[in-house]
Amino acid sequence: DGGITQSPKYLFRKEGQNVTLSCEQNLNHDAMYWYRQDPGQGLRLIYYSQIVNDFQKGDIAEGYSVSREKKESFPLTVTSAQKNPTAFYLCASSIGGLVNPDTQYFGPGTRLTVL
Amino acid sequence: DQQVKQNSPSLSVQEGRISILNCDYTNSMFDYFLWYKKYPAEGPTFLISISSIKDKNEDGRFTVFLNKSAKHLSLHIVPSQPGDSAVYFCAAAVQGAQKLVFGQGTRLTINP
């Protein structure tokens, strides 16, 4: 039963604390992505990774960090430098490489609330 | 600079009728377009896509139309069903770039 899992579904943190959101996929996809969704807005790309041990900044990378040590996992850390961290965070994956077109598939999301 | 725009934040349609969701884009380099459906507190689900070499793609009740000269695409759902009530996002990409650009979404409500 292949898919993308994100945990936890809801996360609460105090202001000033770093927090790490988990994303795991067993689809054997090379590429993984992190998006953020705010009310009334589309999804905005935070970071993406096309292959293990490599990742690139998206459109709103400031205040976030990622790692890609394993093909299956792409955790996102929301640091205290992120000015507006409360949002719905979505992880996605795609086959990647030279596949063309390359459709992205999404996990269920994590809602982060910073108090 | 919003490269992909969905100008209707919401749309209400009678059950059984046709739903038409619209999307405009400004970047002429985009050559691959997708529609996603999203329920509250869930991740988007891929619905249908179209490459710029086509002007229509159909999958069951869902059809996407692409008008390259107008930089416009639309998603038609017919007949509309209550389960179609969700937020619909269009997205665009330059094939091979592996980055999707999303519109703001349109909330579709199907009324019984």
Side-chain angles (χ1 to χ4, degrees):
Chain A
D1 197 15
I4 304 171
T5 56
Q6 291 185 243
S7 59
K9 190 158 181 70
Y10 299 96
L11 191 54
F12 296 88
R13 278 294 181 270
K14 289 184 180 177
E15 196 172 341
Q17 288 182 335
N18 291 358
V19 60
T20 298
L21 281 60
S22 164
C23 178
E24 304 276 332
Q25 55 98 359
N26 59 4
L27 299 167
N28 201 32
H29 284 174
D30 279 319
M32 296 186 75
Y33 312 80
W34 274 105
Y35 292 87
R36 167 185 174 136
Q37 186 194 8
D38 294 283
Q41 296 195 35
L43 283 64
R44 293 183 291 166
L45 182 64
I46 304 172
Y47 267 98
Y48 64 105
S49 167
Q50 295 176 324
I51 199 164
V52 174
N53 291 323
D54 185 53
F55 48 83
Q56 287 81 41
K57 292 182 180 180
D59 301 317
I60 53 165
E62 187 176 346
Y64 299 98
S65 66
V66 292
S67 62
R68 186 87 188 276
E69 295 175 4
K70 298 188 299 183
K71 187 175 184 178
E72 304 79 26
S73 178
F74 190 39
L76 173 75
T77 296
V78 184
T79 75
S80 56
Q82 168 48 233
K83 291 186 177 16
N84 241 342
T86 294
F88 189 52
Y89 289 87
L90 287 156
C91 178
S93 71
S94 65
I95 295 174
L98 297 176
V99 169
N100 207 7
D102 191 26
T103 300
Q104 295 182 20
Y105 297 91
F106 285 82
T110 292
R111 177 160 302 281
L112 172 64
T113 303
V114 176
L115 306 169
Chain B
D1 178 28
Q2 191 78 27
Q3 296 186 69
V4 178
K5 294 182 185 179
Q6 294 176 256
N7 291 317
S8 298
S10 61
L11 177 67
S12 190
V13 173
Q14 202 78 19
E15 182 179 357
R17 308 291 283 266
I18 184 171
S19 295
I20 300 176
L21 297 105
N22 294 303
C23 180
D24 297 296
Y25 62 96
T26 57
N27 187 344
S28 56
M29 297 295 290
F30 288 145
D31 56 4
Y32 182 53
F33 304 89
L34 308 91
W35 283 95
Y36 286 86
K37 173 182 179 179
K38 185 182 180 300
Y39 293 118
E42 293 184 13
T45 303
F46 169 71
L47 264 182
I48 192 168
S49 63
I50 188 167
S51 171
S52 60
I53 61 173
K54 293 184 171 184
D55 53 20
K56 176 183 173 181
N57 189 25
E58 194 172 349
D59 184 3
R61 295 187 298 114
F62 302 93
T63 303
V64 56
F65 295 92
L66 175 62
N67 182 334
K68 290 184 288 292
S69 61
K71 294 192 180 70
H72 177 84
L73 67 153
S74 60
L75 174 69
H76 292 209
I77 306 172
V78 57
S80 300
Q81 299 174 354
D84 296 331
S85 294
V87 176
Y88 289 79
F89 290 98
C90 70
V94 176
Q95 291 194 56
Q98 293 189 326
K99 288 178 64 175
L100 289 180
V101 180
F102 283 84
Q104 310 96 305
T106 296
R107 180 177 301 280
L108 175 65
T109 302
I110 306 302
N111 301 308

